Amino acid sequence: MKNLSDVEIVAECKNGNQLAFNELVRRYQERIYWLVRKIVGDHEDANDIAQDVFVKVYHSIKDFREESSLYTWLYRIGTNLSLNLLRKKKLKSFFSIDQLAYAIKSGDDEPDAEMEKVEEKNIIEKAIETLPEKQKLVFILRYYEEMPYGEMARMLGKSTGGLKANYFHAVKKIEEYLKHAV
Amino acid sequence: MRCEQIVSDLPDYFRGSISDVEKKKIESHLATCHSCRAELELLKETFTKIDATVFRQPSEVYWKYFCAEVNKKIFNRRPTWYTSPWTTRILLPGAAALLIIIIVMTVVKRSPFESTKGVINASEIAPIVSSSSEKELNDLINTYDSQLPTATTSDILNGNDSTVVETVKKMETTMFKDNVSDELTANIDDYSMPYESLESLSDTETDLVIQRLEKQIIF
């Protein structure tokens, strides 16, 4: 299985070969995990999302038309699931502020644990976290994944020029954050 | 090249993610532009800090069991009989449709004159006619707006059998049109008979007609 190409692995998965699916997971687990981790910002969420990516692949592989590479398809699923989680978290945060205030008032220990969790993140993670959704995604895909603009444009449905601008502005924002954080 | 165009390409230029043609253009501009060179220095500092950042790594055990966790999740989320596509898309909607049909069929009343056999014959008409009063008979004829053959009372009483036969056929067709056989329907001509002809019969005459009908009609 390890010697099979991505195309062959996909063909085997479509035939219901469980060993081929396991090989697909092992082949891409780290790349998908790190992509998701950088978008969502913490290990627990990244773990859930990364697993969900492969669960989705398991159920959808028969419909994969192979118009893009397997790698691009996995990344597309990973980014979509990650962004969905961030949007849900953003919505929840409107309610969690009141809950946090109540917990602090009542002497609950949970807020401290949450604060500790925030402190553990490094400064770059925090800087990336402050980026707008589009800039965050483009920065992670370009900087960490070194994805070509052409491929990114196909994946995200944006123009190459727009993506370059997003990347540049993301870097400038991180630069500003680091300047003020020090 | 203008500074705005150069500056947006500087991050890729610094990281070496640029074509040789673009690289030459940028270097040519940087040689003469102080502000773009300053911008490049700022980017160098930022990228150096980003590159130096170490993200907390999951343990080796985590990677070893990741695939097993994925398969466990797939197993736990497998559809049960009540959530399977077969049940939700076919079985349940089918059962609902069947229930609606049963309810509609029990609510809609069947006509008292509908025959279960499919073809009505004179012996079935006769009891209905004989048990009906003159008024009920007239109401029946009105209701079904029959186009009866032109048969006079005397025809019926004197035994003009072909006309009587046609009369009954037409009565049957219009009264029980949903249950008349195809052969019978095909033989019916488009007659018309005022219902007053039957209305004008007395009870005795009506009974006589029925008797003749019972003897004469063959379907």
Side-chain angles (χ1 to χ4, degrees), chain B residues 3-140:
Chain B
C3 287
E4 293 82 16
Q5 290 172 287
I6 295 291
V7 156
S8 66
D9 284 334
L10 284 179
D12 288 323
Y13 166 75
F14 175 75
R15 301 262 295 164
S17 312
I18 206 162
S19 67
D20 289 340
V21 170
E22 291 292 325
K23 189 177 170 183
K24 277 185 184 158
K25 283 182 188 173
I26 292 170
E27 283 172 351
S28 167
H29 178 87
L30 287 174
T32 57
C33 180
H34 173 74
S35 68
C36 285
R37 282 203 303 275
E39 187 63 43
L40 183 62
E41 286 305 311
L42 280 174
L43 280 173
K44 274 183 186 173
E45 280 180 40
T46 305
F47 281 130
T48 305
K49 284 177 187 170
I50 296 173
D51 287 340
T53 305
V54 176
F55 286 85
R56 291 184 311 284
Q57 295 276 342
S59 66
E60 287 213 13
V61 172
Y62 173 79
W63 296 121
K64 193 175 165 187
Y65 289 105
F66 183 87
C67 185
E69 289 296 316
V70 169
N71 283 312
K72 190 174 158 187
K73 214 174 220 185
I74 290 167
F75 180 79
N76 287 340
R77 288 185 189 175
R78 73 197 184 286
T80 54
W81 71 268
Y82 48 83
T83 58
S84 74
W86 163 250
T87 307
T88 55
R89 290 182 198 174
I90 297 167
L91 193 63
L92 287 177
L98 192 62
L99 189 64
I100 291 167
I101 290 168
I102 291 169
I103 291 168
V104 167
M105 284 177 69
T106 54
V107 166
V108 172
K109 285 185 183 176
R110 288 165 66 88
S111 164
F113 301 104
E114 221 171 79
S115 168
T116 54
K117 292 178 189 175
V119 176
I120 303 296
N121 56 39
S123 61
E124 288 180 279
I125 299 174
I128 297 167
V129 173
S130 64
S131 65
S132 302
S133 67
E134 193 173 306
K135 184 184 180 304
E136 283 167 346
L137 205 59
N138 288 335
D139 287 341
L140 187 68

Side-chain angles (χ1 to χ4, degrees), chain A residues 18 22 29 33-34 37 47-48 51-52 58 120 122 124-125 142-143 149 167-168 171-172 175, chain B residues 7 12 15 17 39 43 46-47 50-51 53-58 62-63 66 71 73-74 77:
Chain A
Q18 182 64 43
N22 291 349
Q29 61 188 23
Y33 168 86
W34 282 113
R37 167 77 179 272
N47 177 47
D48 282 338
Q51 287 179 9
D52 286 345
Y58 181 86
E120 282 173 10
N122 63 52
I124 296 300
E125 284 179 301
R142 183 66 179 166
Y143 187 89
Y149 282 119
Y167 182 53
F168 174 74
V171 172
K172 294 306 286 181
E175 193 180 282
Chain B
V7 156
D12 288 323
R15 301 262 295 164
S17 312
E39 187 63 43
L43 280 173
T46 305
F47 281 130
I50 296 173
D51 287 340
T53 305
V54 176
F55 286 85
R56 291 184 311 284
Q57 295 276 342
Y62 173 79
W63 296 121
F66 183 87
N71 283 312
K73 214 174 220 185
I74 290 167
R77 288 185 189 175

Side-chain angles (χ1 to χ4, degrees), chain A residues 17-32:
Chain A
N17 188 332
Q18 182 64 43
L19 293 177
F21 175 72
N22 291 349
E23 172 58 24
L24 188 156
V25 173
R26 282 188 215 105
R27 200 175 281 192
Y28 284 102
Q29 61 188 23
E30 287 196 49
R31 289 172 78 178
I32 293 299

